[in-house]
Amino acid sequence: MDMDLLNDLPLRDSLKSLEPYAPLEGSYPIRLDANESYFSLPEKIAKDFSEQVSQLNLNRYPDPYAVEVSKGFADFYGINTDLVTASNGSDEWISIICSGLLQHGDTLLTLAPDFSMYRFYGQLYGLKVECLSKDSDLNISAEAIAEACRKTKCNAVIFSNPCNPTSLGIGKKELLVLLKSVKCLVVVDEAYMDFWSEEESLLQEAENFPNLLILRTCSKAIGLAGARLGFAVGNRALTQVLRAIKSPYNTNSLSQLLGTVVFSHPECLKTCIEEIKTARNNFYKTLQEYVQNTGYGKVYAPLTNFVYWELEGNLAQEISDFTADSGIALRKMGSALRITAGSASEQETLMKVLQNFYKVKKGES
Ligand SMILES: *Cc1c(COP(=O)(O)O)cnc(C)c1O
């Protein structure tokens, strides 16, 4: 691409080095790379939605405060709907926090490894992004985060809990200590909390802290990655600010309706989440056995719907290339692999391919 066309435009300097997000190329019958739910919309939910969708006035703008779906979300998690604001995916909140709550030159603290979007949006909007590395066992204490907040004098700290990509978590008790000991904004991205435990969630604490924002998404446990629906939860003052700075019609009518219908079937949602947790536990156990038998790297006990697998040398690349040839997409992250827990049959197929990989590899040496 000839980016010199930008030379005469009075735009931001850094644009030339940016590249559009490159989605996975080729077709993969088994997708274990994006931590989506393996459940498609349950039949009775699909039926409810299709009955109601014809009554939507799509010639009109959506409800700017997404009242119905915010109430559905709040009821599902047992919180006050006044503290909830919906968005076009929780990614939108990360962008709004970096561009609207913070300003150019402010310092944003992130952790490493963690979700790459924090750094991306931070840098895009001209924040100073400081990065605190986790320990060699991939854990990090709340005390270490608090110390880094003080040392960097950051305006905000953001991290996922439980973490993408490590699948490890920081307990609620520890995070309460962090919240009390720092003055900066603390953004806790709970995209995968449904797979750990609501006991570890900070949702019930939103009202108790001036500096706490929690992000949740419908893209993972709720099974609506295609609908782009996220939520920010914070005290009333922060909520008013978020509602003031977001674009008014950020959450479209179709997604609002779909989310409302989905949250009106809480039992169905809970059943899906429990099944995914069981699938995750089974997958971890099977992969752990494989790791013990082959001596390939190390897997970490997962709290999310995916497993983090640290590997040596070029193995992550070799394995993901090998599974890709069999139509299975995994996510390579440096020298590690992040693998979503798929359905039982997807897991079975993956393990067969991994066994094959081992045979081929042994044959070579
Ligand atoms: C998947 C994911 C999200 C979800 O983003 P959406 O825009 O709501 O799809 C947010 N944070 C983390 C850490 C994630 O892994």
Side-chain angles (χ1 to χ4, degrees):
M1 176 70 67
D2 180 12
M3 298 304 278
D4 289 345
L5 285 169
L6 289 176
N7 284 351
D8 295 332
L9 278 172
L11 303 179
R12 186 201 307 250
D13 296 331
S14 63
L15 295 180
K16 275 197 195 175
S17 61
L18 294 178
E19 281 181 33
Y21 179 76
L24 201 61
E25 276 176 42
S27 99
Y28 294 87
I30 300 184
R31 293 287 304 261
L32 304 175
D33 60 313
N35 303 338
E36 297 142 326
S37 168
Y38 58 81
F39 286 107
S40 56
L41 211 54
E43 212 170 301
K44 60 180 169 188
I45 295 183
K47 190 164 160 279
D48 269 13
F49 176 70
S50 61
E51 276 166 18
Q52 293 182 48
V53 76
S54 59
Q55 286 150 42
L56 274 187
N57 291 321
L58 283 169
N59 55 321
R60 302 294 177 194
Y61 282 108
D63 172 5
Y65 299 117
V67 170
E68 289 292 319
V69 71
S70 298
K71 185 168 182 316
F73 170 87
D75 289 349
F76 184 71
Y77 292 104
I79 58 171
N80 188 330
T81 184
D82 294 346
L83 313 178
V84 175
T85 314
S87 65
N88 179 24
S90 58
D91 244 32
E92 186 185 23
W93 284 128
I94 304 169
S95 170
I96 290 175
I97 289 163
C98 291
S99 60
L101 289 188
L102 300 173
Q103 59 188 344
H104 203 272
D106 279 359
T107 300
L108 176 69
L109 178 66
T110 65
L111 309 180
D114 207 333
F115 192 44
S116 59
M117 286 296 145
Y118 311 143
R119 168 183 290 272
F120 171 78
Y121 283 119
Q123 286 175 342
L124 181 66
Y125 295 123
L127 306 179
K128 268 183 268 165
V129 180
E130 296 278 356
C131 200
L132 173 64
S133 291
K134 295 184 182 176
D135 303 335
S136 57
D137 65 357
L138 296 180
N139 280 299
I140 185 98
S141 69
E143 183 43 50
I145 300 174
E147 199 183 301
C149 288
R150 287 188 286 269
K151 221 170 88 191
T152 61
K153 297 193 176 70
C154 63
N155 303 80
V157 57
I158 184 168
F159 53 90
S160 55
N161 190 46
C163 168
N164 174 9
T166 65
S167 208
L168 305 177
I170 308 175
K172 176 174 175 176
K173 268 203 200 123
E174 272 206 67
L175 289 183
L176 290 178
V177 176
L178 167 70
L179 280 160
K180 283 176 195 151
S181 66
V182 300
K183 287 243 156 50
C184 66
L185 178 70
V186 178
V187 184
V188 184
D189 181 349
E190 295 189 348
Y192 301 93
M193 188 55 85
D194 306 77
F195 302 117
W196 186 9
S197 161
E198 293 307 325
E199 307 272 300
E200 301 293 349
S201 169
L202 292 173
L203 281 181
Q204 305 295 337
E205 305 293 333
E207 220 160 359
N208 303 334
F209 290 94
N211 58 339
L212 170 63
L213 257 191
I214 301 140
L215 306 184
R216 300 286 293 232
T217 177
C218 291
S219 299
K220 309 288 158 55
I222 309 301
L224 298 180
R228 313 301 303 124
L229 192 55
F231 295 91
V233 182
N235 65 50
R236 285 176 168 74
L238 279 173
T239 298
Q240 172 158 335
V241 168
L242 292 180
R243 290 178 184 178
I245 64 178
K246 77 180 186 69
S247 96
Y249 303 117
N250 60 331
T251 313
N252 74 74
S253 309
L254 290 162
S255 296
Q256 288 191 32
L257 174 63
L258 182 57
T260 305
V261 172
V262 167
F263 283 121
S264 74
H265 291 276
E267 290 317 315
C268 192
L269 273 180
K270 285 175 191 162
T271 308
C272 289
I273 292 170
E274 282 313 308
E275 281 197 34
I276 295 171
K277 281 165 77 169
T278 305
R280 179 267 318 268
N281 292 342
N282 291 339
F283 177 52
Y284 172 60
K285 215 171 123 236
T286 316
L287 191 62
Q288 209 178 18
E289 281 163 18
Y290 178 83
V291 163
Q292 272 158 9
N293 292 336
T294 59
Y296 291 162
K298 178 180 176 191
V299 281
Y300 289 80
L303 298 173
T304 65
N305 66 333
F306 58 85
V307 174
Y308 190 68
W309 185 9
E310 253 178 8
L311 289 149
E312 281 108 40
N314 202 33
L315 264 181
Q317 186 70 56
E318 289 178 42
I319 290 173
S320 59
D321 287 348
F322 193 88
T323 64
D325 286 342
S326 300
I328 305 173
L330 310 180
R331 180 67 194 268
K332 191 179 97 60
M333 317 196 79
S335 62
L337 289 173
R338 193 195 66 192
I339 309 179
T340 311
S343 67
S345 82
E346 288 175 331
Q347 289 182 24
E348 202 179 308
T349 309
L350 171 65
M351 291 318 298
K352 274 189 195 142
V353 173
L354 288 179
Q355 295 297 355
N356 258 339
F357 174 82
Y358 182 60
K359 271 190 218 145
V360 171
K361 190 87 178 152
K362 243 178 37 179
E364 282 171 3
S365 64

